[in-house]
Amino acid sequence: WLCSGVSAQWIELAECGCIMHFECLVEAARRQHGIALHGAMPSSLDEVEAALDVAFATVGRFFGVLSVSVDSISCPRCRRPSQLWRKMPCAGKVEAATTSRV
């Protein structure tokens, strides 16, 4: 992995130690907390119910009735939840043998 700019930052999740770009963390939060649009159609009643929950939350956030808060992020790589993460300066290339990558 290479850094894409001087201001690029990596984020390390505290629970699993996986590292990702800051932009990837933001996208994961959007997907996990109902802000991003989901392309797959629900195939069961449970998935329909979950999709309706996401739709109502998105509409509520759009009109300012509901606020967005992220208390925990599930790692996109290993799926472990993490409530703590830290910024790390981007220092060039990450070696695959020493770092988990997302």
Side-chain angles (χ1 to χ4, degrees):
W1 286 27
L2 296 174
C3 295
S4 60
V6 176
S7 63
Q9 298 249 326
W10 288 332
I11 303 297
E12 179 182 14
L13 299 177
E15 296 298 321
C16 60
C18 291
I19 296 173
M20 66 179 80
H21 292 105
F22 177 75
E23 294 82 12
C24 297
L25 175 76
V26 171
E27 183 59 31
R30 286 182 181 151
R31 278 194 316 268
Q32 292 174 25
H33 295 281
I35 302 168
L37 297 176
H38 302 280
M41 294 295 294
S43 62
S44 69
L45 290 177
D46 290 335
E47 289 180 6
V48 170
E49 184 178 350
L52 287 174
D53 289 343
V54 169
F56 288 133
T58 302
V59 169
R61 291 173 184 157
F62 179 76
F63 288 109
V65 177
L66 300 174
S67 63
V68 178
S69 65
V70 178
D71 297 327
S72 177
I73 297 286
S74 294
C75 177
R77 180 179 170 269
C78 66
R79 305 286 184 227
R80 289 183 61 189
S82 186
Q83 294 181 343
L84 300 172
W85 48 85
R86 69 181 179 111
K87 288 184 180 180
M88 300 171 50
C90 191
K93 188 175 180 181
V94 177
E95 296 298 325
T98 60
T99 307
S100 300
R101 295 181 287 173
V102 176

